[in-house]
Amino acid sequence: VGMHKPCPQHGLQPECTADPGCVWSGVGLSCVDSPCVAHCDEPKCTADAVNHCQWKIVNGTTEPSCWVETTCAYSDEASCEADPQCSWDVFKPDCVERPCNQPTENECEVDPVGCEWFAGTSTCVEKPCKHAMQADCTADTLCEWDACAGVVGGGACQKKSCDPSVF
């Protein structure tokens, strides 16, 4: 079994999630051992996709063991959304790494997900209105469907433009 600091000694969430043997518990707002560290062999470890387990060598150890694969290993939506690196995927449901989490403008602009740099807060954010389906686009209050745009006029979702006549 790999070595890591006992999880309850991590008092803060970022410190806890940085340790691949620990996860942040939204229930007790504390750091606890990852379920992954209980797996003693590679087949059991890699089969545990629910807990994001991965068989690897970490923290300067020489023997591989089972660790949490992602920093977003939260089991509840509230804890997941509280971490700026994570977001809750309602379709899985699962906590996943937030897209567009790059620290610099250059890294942000080249992200293949479709990110843009927001200068007001110096943060990288996901471009709005990337919906492929018209119904999803029109359901998003920030977006509108342009029937003349897109591939051969098939339509495309775009950010609503400000119309001063509405005010």
Side-chain angles (χ1 to χ4, degrees):
V1 175
M3 301 296 290
H4 67 96
K5 183 176 180 177
C7 297
Q9 290 184 11
H10 295 301
L12 301 173
Q13 185 175 344
E15 184 182 311
C16 175
T17 56
D19 185 327
C22 305
V23 292
W24 186 257
S25 170
V27 178
L29 297 177
S30 61
C31 191
V32 297
D33 282 338
S34 158
C36 300
V37 297
H39 299 305
C40 295
D41 60 43
E42 186 173 3
K44 287 180 185 173
C45 176
T46 55
D48 189 348
V50 171
N51 291 305
H52 307 283
C53 299
Q54 185 177 26
W55 191 256
K56 62 184 179 178
I57 296 173
V58 295
N59 294 347
T61 61
T62 56
E63 295 293 320
S65 53
C66 196
W67 301 97
V68 175
E69 177 183 341
T70 178
T71 56
C72 299
Y74 303 104
S75 59
D76 65 286
E77 185 175 359
S79 297
C80 177
E81 290 293 340
D83 187 329
Q85 294 182 4
C86 307
S87 65
W88 188 256
D89 184 332
V90 294
F91 299 105
K92 288 189 177 180
D94 195 13
C95 189
V96 296
E97 288 189 51
R98 185 178 305 277
C100 305
N101 199 25
Q102 290 74 19
T104 68
E105 184 174 2
N106 288 342
E107 290 174 293
C108 177
E109 296 294 335
V110 298
D111 190 291
V113 172
C115 305
E116 63 186 355
W117 187 254
F118 187 64
T121 57
S122 296
T123 55
C124 186
V125 296
E126 195 170 1
K127 286 183 181 175
C129 308
K130 296 190 312 180
H131 308 287
M133 305 298 293
Q134 183 175 358
D136 295 334
C137 178
T138 55
D140 187 331
T141 58
L142 296 174
C143 308
E144 62 187 0
W145 189 258
D146 182 350
C148 297
V151 179
V152 193
C157 191
Q158 62 187 24
K159 190 174 180 180
K160 283 183 181 176
S161 57
C162 181
D163 184 356
S165 66
V166 175
F167 301 109

